[in-house]
Amino acid sequence: MRTPTPRLLVAAATVLALAACSGGGAVDGTPGGSGVRDPYFPKAGNGGYDIGHYDLVLDYDPGTGADAGHLTGSATITARATRDLSAFDLDLKGLDVEKVTVEGRDARFNRAGQELTVRPAEELNDGETFRVTVRYSGEPETITDPDDSEEGWLPTADGAVGLGEPTGSMAWFPGSHHPSDKATYDLAMTVPKGLGVVSNGELRDERTRDGRTTFTWHTSEPMASHVVTVAVGEWETGRSTTDDGLPVYTAVDPTQADASRKVLKRIPEIMDWARENFGPYPFSSIGAIVDRDEDAGYALETQNRPYFPGAPDIVLLVHELAHQWYGNSVSPKTWRDMWLNEGFATYAEWLWEEDHGGDTAQEIFEALYDGTYYEDEDANDSVWAFPPADPPDAAHISESPVYQRGAMVLHKIRETVGDDAFWDLLHGWAAAHRHGNADTDDFTAYVEESAPDEDFSQIWADWLRGDGRPDSP
């Protein structure tokens, strides 16, 4: 963590720089501020406004030559000021900003690290809706996370993929890159003819001109920026619907087509099972993106269309589809609440196994508690490394306690309230925060209100927030 003194110096320098840009006149508004003070990523997101919609127009050529790997972009962001603003920040890492306008008028701007600070020609009033357009270009960065995984813009064997968890989307478009600021999206990307572009939501248009093809995608439900994706490459695409008419769109690298075909055909079956367990599906389409094994080091629950490096097995597919309810529709308020994403999706795996001839959730729980679940002793011990609701730092938000011990918390709740009440709780939690955000306190309060005659204090103290393995399962 940075000490207070450097932060104050940086803040003072920013205010002085903005005052110089304004010509020294009196102002009523204040700068929006950089970051929403997330406990693990304090610079992620921005203060003073709320984004409602992104309109991204992108051009990319992954081929050889002078323009290889070059991205040209225009991002038009519709937002609402939440206080009087003399300036505001956008998150953008790398890339060259060529022009910024606010409400069609040129705006001054400056860069400092991942912060793009914008000063509009006229101050913005509290409650005012405004549009800011940023024109930019360059070679997008691959960002290394605190846990040493890679995100942002990842070149692949035949194109590239944008993966954003937790902050990587700022490598390829400006915005407020924190899960607490969700928005709808339009994305149009132009690539050389013969390549395809897959993104979230629904494909609205595909047209070719002068040897280049533009794909236009639309996402009508709110989406956090860390689950936004765009994947460029050669794809075998599949389009179908579930029995109740939900569109299913899959895009598979040709080298993975044979290995993926059987498991992807089960998406409608998984969706029927998930709706029964979790409630109505919160989005307007579903599907999957399957790239090559070497193109990324992990799968990700990108909204509507989870991303997989290589053909997934059925359990991994269930995990990422469950995230559409828990993690995408109900998004965390901060990255400390990651267990509300991963604990729920991991417990979905247990439920799938229980319903399809595998171990029961109780058997999985007992194996984890006894230290016999993994073949590796260190992996068994890692489950108890820290409480799921309190990872020690940003490098640990995707480690075993968040997943496995998070799922164990849910199983303890199930044991306490019984199966019927537990299914009601799963449905109700997804419904109560549909397309919104929630934190651990919201969840514990919801559970207690749902079962007022039960005592959950030991579960919260020992399993959710306690250090080490509880004395008794």
Side-chain angles (χ1 to χ4, degrees):
M1 295 291 292
R2 296 180 181 178
T3 59
T5 301
R7 277 205 303 268
L8 292 172
L9 290 173
V10 170
T14 300
V15 171
L16 289 172
L18 291 173
C21 290
S22 69
V27 295
D28 296 323
T30 59
S34 61
V36 294
R37 301 302 180 257
D38 185 274
Y40 301 135
F41 299 93
K43 284 292 187 180
N46 295 287
Y49 63 89
D50 177 68
I51 294 179
H53 185 72
Y54 290 85
D55 189 351
L56 306 177
V57 179
L58 309 173
D59 190 290
Y60 184 71
D61 190 344
T64 60
D67 291 332
H70 188 83
L71 177 72
T72 300
S74 174
T76 298
I77 299 167
T78 304
R80 179 180 58 84
T82 56
R83 61 174 182 260
D84 293 339
L85 289 175
S86 60
F88 59 90
D89 280 25
L90 297 168
D91 302 317
L92 183 66
K93 187 171 178 63
L95 301 171
D96 298 317
V97 176
E98 295 147 10
K99 185 176 183 178
V100 180
T101 63
V102 177
E103 289 296 285
R105 299 179 63 183
D106 287 352
R108 293 187 174 97
F109 63 89
N110 65 281
R111 307 288 300 276
Q114 71 183 53
E115 300 299 321
L116 168 62
T117 302
V118 178
R119 186 177 189 86
E122 293 185 359
E123 293 186 6
L124 302 169
N125 297 321
D126 185 9
E128 179 180 352
T129 297
F130 64 96
R131 287 187 179 182
V132 52
T133 298
V134 180
R135 295 181 183 175
Y136 59 99
S137 63
E139 185 173 345
E141 294 185 16
T142 298
I143 298 171
T144 300
D145 281 342
D147 64 1
D148 291 329
S149 62
E150 292 185 336
E151 58 171 291
W153 194 258
L154 282 63
T156 63
D158 56 356
V161 60
L163 298 177
E165 189 174 285
T167 62
S169 294
M170 66 180 175
W172 57 279
F173 69 94
S176 184
H177 292 295
H178 188 268
S180 60
D181 196 352
K182 302 166 79 167
T184 57
Y185 283 75
D186 284 293
L187 182 148
M189 176 172 265
T190 302
V191 294
K193 181 181 178 180
L195 295 179
V197 176
V198 188
S199 188
N200 313 88
E202 289 77 55
L203 181 63
R204 287 291 179 86
D205 191 39
E206 177 183 340
R207 60 182 62 190
T208 300
R209 180 179 179 183
D210 297 330
R212 298 182 69 80
T213 305
T214 301
F215 296 80
T216 302
W217 292 84
H218 174 71
T219 303
S220 58
E221 299 92 1
M223 178 165 58
S225 65
H226 72 276
V227 289
V228 177
T229 191
V230 62
V232 180
E234 298 177 359
W235 306 108
E236 289 189 13
T237 59
R239 305 186 194 204
S240 61
T241 59
T242 61
D243 288 342
D244 61 353
L246 181 71
V248 180
Y249 186 101
T250 58
V252 181
D253 186 284
T255 65
Q256 304 299 311
D258 290 342
S260 301
R261 191 168 292 112
K262 185 176 180 180
V263 69
L264 295 184
K265 282 185 177 180
R266 300 188 70 179
I267 289 177
E269 174 193 352
I270 296 170
M271 294 301 291
D272 287 344
W273 173 87
R275 278 188 287 251
E276 182 178 348
N277 284 278
F278 311 141
Y281 179 60
F283 303 117
S284 52
S285 67
I286 192 58
I289 302 169
V290 182
D291 236 330
R292 305 185 190 199
D293 291 326
E294 65 272 18
D295 286 338
Y298 52 89
L300 188 63
E301 62 269 21
T302 43
Q303 191 160 303
N304 304 91
R305 202 147 289 110
Y307 175 88
F308 302 95
D313 62 28
I314 189 69
V315 174
L316 180 58
L317 183 58
V318 167
H319 181 104
E320 303 303 344
L321 293 180
H323 270 310
Q324 307 307 308
W325 283 262
Y326 309 111
N328 292 5
S329 177
V330 184
S331 301
K333 282 185 179 177
T334 78
W335 288 110
R336 178 175 283 147
D337 307 303
M338 185 77 156
W339 83 274
L340 289 172
N341 298 14
E342 301 302 346
F344 272 83
T346 300
Y347 201 71
E349 297 178 28
W350 298 10
L351 294 177
W352 176 270
E353 294 278 15
E354 183 173 84
D355 289 346
H356 292 84
D359 291 341
T360 65
Q362 181 66 29
E363 289 169 335
I364 297 171
F365 176 94
E366 290 174 355
L368 284 165
Y369 185 83
D370 293 338
T372 59
Y373 184 76
Y374 299 105
E375 293 183 3
D376 181 73
E377 184 176 349
D378 289 341
N380 288 311
D381 291 342
S382 71
V383 173
W384 311 104
F386 56 83
D390 193 19
D393 53 43
H396 292 80
I397 62 172
S398 294
E399 292 198 356
S400 182
V402 173
Y403 289 68
Q404 302 295 354
R405 192 168 164 185
M408 295 177 87
V409 170
L410 296 178
H411 191 72
K412 293 298 297 182
I413 296 170
R414 180 182 175 185
E415 286 183 329
T416 302
V417 302
D419 279 3
D420 288 345
F422 183 70
W423 306 136
D424 289 344
L425 190 150
L426 290 181
H427 283 233
W429 175 248
H433 296 279
R434 181 183 175 98
H435 300 317
N437 298 83
D439 62 16
T440 298
D441 288 343
D442 293 326
F443 178 73
T444 57
Y446 182 84
V447 172
E448 291 170 356
E449 291 169 4
S450 299
D453 296 331
E454 304 292 347
D455 181 7
F456 298 95
S457 59
Q458 185 177 5
I459 297 176
W460 307 150
D462 295 347
W463 294 90
L464 182 60
R465 296 190 171 96
D467 290 320
R469 185 172 68 170
D471 291 336
S472 171

